[in-house]
Amino acid sequence: MQNFDHIFVGGGHNALVAAAYLSRAGYDVLVLDRNDRVGGFVRSAELSPGVTYDPFSSAVPLFTSGPAWRDLGPDLRKQGLEILQPEFPTGVSMQDGTTAVFPRDPLALADEADRLHPGDSSAVAEIMAALGPSSGEAFGLMGQDLTSDAARATIARLVSEGKGWSQVAELALDTSRSAVSELESPALQSLFGSWPAHVSHGPDDAGGAFWTTIFPLGFTAGGMPIPQGGMGKLAEALSGIITEHGGVVQNKATVTRIKVADGRAVGVQLSDGSAYRARNSVVASVNPDQLYEWLLAETVVPPRILSQARRYRYGTGIFQLHLAINGPIPWPDKRFARIGQPFLTDSLDGLSLHVAQSRADLLPAWPTMTLDCPTAHDATRAPEGTNVIRIEVTDVPTSPRGDAAGAIATDGTWNSCVVDRFADRVLEVVERHIPGLTEKIVTRATVTPATLAAFNPNSGPGDPYGGAQDLAQSFALRPIAAAPGHRTFVPNLYVLGAGTWPGAGVSGNSGYIVAQYLIDS
């Protein structure tokens, strides 16, 4: 049986980040992944001959603003990773024709706000300054295990103000609708209030106000960067660091058991009968239901942990429509040719209705969505004259049992008829914002909750965020209250990935957190 210092179960980007740190530090590392290549949802593919698209995640603002990029960036560049930056990170197109962009320069952002409604620049400044002098510490928590003594002390300091609670505490509990209520412009309300949907928070969900502030601060600092050549280049570069330092990356390798002896994780067993022994640790890039019910099925798991793992909840899914088109996007607002990822919506109320319909297992009647065009910034992804578009509808039912518009017959699955009809609905919305786009379409492909469920067990029935991120499964309670953080009841068994803090998104932060534990131990 071959021995390694550290064995990783699953090769998502957080696992690759941790493995890269450890291999650079001189440890023998093994990464095992069930798919044909590592990276999880950080992946690129061919939409048509010579046309590269990203079937899942599409940008890396959280990664390039985090500690993993700070530490690993030079090595990633040596592996050939290049980061490109659109001029405007985001923006919004309203159904009535109103548009807004989000400049990274605060003065330009203030001008844009006042153009939409005189005086709104003050409300924008308040949103951006909501964390006040605590913003540095709040962002710092993204790279810390919230169960650690240091993080607990920081949290206690951040949420207290005299004998009362601070504005940080209020943001952690308030809604994004409340956070944008001082804005008069409906376009700005949607621009700021919609982004929490990308971490599974609708406009009326508790905790959304925190992300309403975090996202624009992140855009100002880091923009909306994308890897040249596609998201898969990030996974390739991380894998390259691992193998360059002697680590092993093994694809098409499904781990069926984590072996525990004398209270410690000692290795893993694979579906083909092979096994590997771990000298120091096993790191699982899985959610608690998989870990405690399946991978540790031969180990006695504390009853409270097992009970909560069985009740681990998944949220709504996503629907993506990927297009190859002839020529540029005919944006009515020409500034959008230089934008990263804008929203197409009718209003914040429209998004709220969309979310409510999806959570009732109904296909949303008039969905809100984001649209990005990587070829507008990266000519390497397609032949000249061809552009690639990704349209993402957050919050769709994983099991559609009805249609809010009463026009699509459903049977609880994303069957081909449902997929095609809903894709047509999405394009109907897009055409309202970008007249003439649909006639340019050459190729189209879809990603549904069923696609996610088949590709990655961490998505459960099709949740891209690795489990619901409401307050009961967020912050210091993630992934479950009985076993929060990145440690488990087995001293040398760790967990990382979207199911752990800081949750969904391509940040590499949980990989960074676990790597620091293992390097310092």
Side-chain angles (χ1 to χ4, degrees):
M1 186 184 299
Q2 194 170 357
N3 296 326
F4 290 88
D5 293 326
H6 302 281
I7 297 177
F8 288 81
V9 180
H13 84 278
N14 278 293
L16 296 179
V17 165
Y21 273 103
L22 291 165
S23 61
R24 285 199 325 169
Y27 291 101
D28 293 326
V29 171
L30 171 65
V31 179
L32 300 165
D33 193 87
R34 67 194 291 270
N35 290 314
D36 63 331
R37 54 196 138 129
V38 292
F41 288 146
V42 176
R43 185 181 182 93
S44 297
E46 196 171 62
L47 183 61
S48 60
V51 177
T52 299
Y53 81 117
D54 297 327
F56 304 117
S57 56
S58 67
V60 292
L62 298 175
F63 188 82
T64 57
S65 61
W69 176 252
R70 178 197 65 208
D71 296 341
L72 300 177
D75 292 298
L76 291 168
R77 291 191 185 96
K78 289 178 183 176
Q79 294 293 330
L81 181 67
E82 294 292 336
I83 299 297
L84 306 176
Q85 187 69 263
E87 179 180 346
F88 302 112
T90 187
V92 65
S93 171
M94 305 294 285
Q95 194 169 299
D96 66 4
T98 304
T99 58
V101 296
F102 186 108
R104 294 178 64 185
D105 175 63
L107 293 178
L109 177 59
D111 289 342
E112 180 75 346
D114 285 336
R115 179 185 70 82
L116 291 159
H117 191 282
D120 262 2
S121 60
S122 296
V124 166
E126 288 184 12
I127 292 172
M128 302 285 284
L131 289 170
S134 302
S135 61
E137 286 189 307
F139 271 94
L141 287 174
M142 299 291 181
Q144 296 182 55
D145 188 328
L146 298 189
T147 66
S148 69
D149 291 341
R152 288 177 188 271
T154 299
I155 293 170
R157 185 168 57 253
L158 287 177
V159 302
S160 298
E161 191 170 284
K163 294 184 178 180
W165 301 105
S166 69
Q167 188 165 344
V168 176
E170 182 180 354
L171 287 172
L173 298 173
D174 206 355
T175 68
S176 58
R177 184 186 297 280
S178 174
V180 302
S181 61
E182 297 301 315
L183 292 167
E184 296 293 338
S185 163
L188 286 177
Q189 288 178 358
S190 287
L191 174 56
F192 283 86
S194 297
W195 268 104
H198 279 253
V199 285
S200 196
H201 283 75
D204 302 297
D205 289 340
F210 178 78
W211 299 105
T212 302
T213 293
I214 288 291
F215 272 112
L217 286 175
F219 295 147
T220 299
M224 187 66 76
I226 61 173
Q228 185 178 54
M231 287 291 289
K233 295 298 183 181
L234 173 58
E236 291 173 13
L238 286 167
S239 183
I241 294 175
I242 296 165
T243 56
E244 180 183 330
H245 290 87
V248 177
V249 175
Q250 185 174 332
N251 301 313
K252 298 181 180 179
T254 300
V255 176
T256 56
R257 289 289 181 271
I258 294 174
K259 294 293 186 179
V260 176
D262 298 324
R264 292 181 61 81
V266 295
V268 299
Q269 184 171 330
L270 277 64
S271 59
D272 63 4
S274 60
Y276 296 97
R277 186 177 299 278
R279 301 185 191 95
N280 295 358
S281 79
V282 173
V283 181
S285 181
V286 299
N287 294 337
D289 48 356
Q290 299 171 62
L291 178 63
Y292 296 115
E293 288 190 87
W294 181 46
L295 291 173
L296 292 176
E298 297 174 357
T299 301
V300 177
V301 178
R304 182 167 175 254
I305 291 177
L306 187 58
S307 175
Q308 290 187 8
R310 286 172 174 160
R311 299 197 307 273
Y312 188 69
R313 289 173 291 100
Y314 290 90
T316 51
I318 61 165
F319 181 91
Q320 291 182 348
L321 183 58
H322 298 273
L323 307 174
I325 66 168
N326 280 324
I329 299 176
W331 289 112
D333 184 338
K334 302 307 179 186
R335 299 177 299 172
F336 276 49
R338 311 191 304 276
I339 203 169
Q341 196 170 141
F343 275 93
L344 312 184
T345 186
D346 63 350
S347 64
L348 195 62
D349 287 339
L351 174 59
S352 185
L353 183 60
H354 161 165
V355 171
Q357 291 169 345
S358 296
R359 292 179 183 178
D361 288 335
L362 302 176
L363 296 169
W366 199 254
T368 286
M369 61 200 69
T370 57
L371 185 152
D372 55 272
C373 178
T375 44
H377 323 287
D378 179 6
T380 69
R381 299 201 194 190
E384 186 177 356
T386 299
N387 274 291
V388 177
I389 295 173
R390 185 194 75 145
I391 302 165
E392 180 171 271
V393 181
T394 60
D395 288 290
V396 298
T398 56
S399 300
R401 306 188 189 283
D403 176 26
I408 302 175
T410 61
D411 62 1
T413 69
W414 282 93
N415 61 58
S416 59
C417 182
V418 170
V419 172
D420 288 341
R421 294 288 303 279
F422 191 69
D424 290 341
R425 177 176 295 170
V426 169
L427 288 176
E428 181 184 356
V429 175
V430 172
E431 190 71 17
R432 296 283 187 95
H433 295 265
I434 317 171
L437 177 69
T438 53
E439 65 188 37
K440 291 172 164 281
I441 296 173
V442 177
T443 305
R444 87 181 196 183
T446 56
V447 171
T448 73
T451 312
L452 303 187
F455 177 75
N456 188 342
N458 284 337
S459 66
D463 175 357
Y465 306 117
Q469 293 197 144
D470 52 39
L471 288 182
Q473 282 188 183
S474 191
F475 297 115
L477 296 177
R478 197 162 182 86
I480 55 177
H486 303 81
R487 299 176 182 269
T488 72
F489 73 95
V490 180
N492 67 329
L493 174 60
Y494 296 81
V495 289
L496 45 64
T500 63
W501 171 257
V506 182
S507 71
N509 284 344
S510 68
Y512 167 80
I513 291 167
V514 171
Q516 304 318 301
Y517 275 136
L518 295 175
I519 290 173
D520 293 340
S521 63

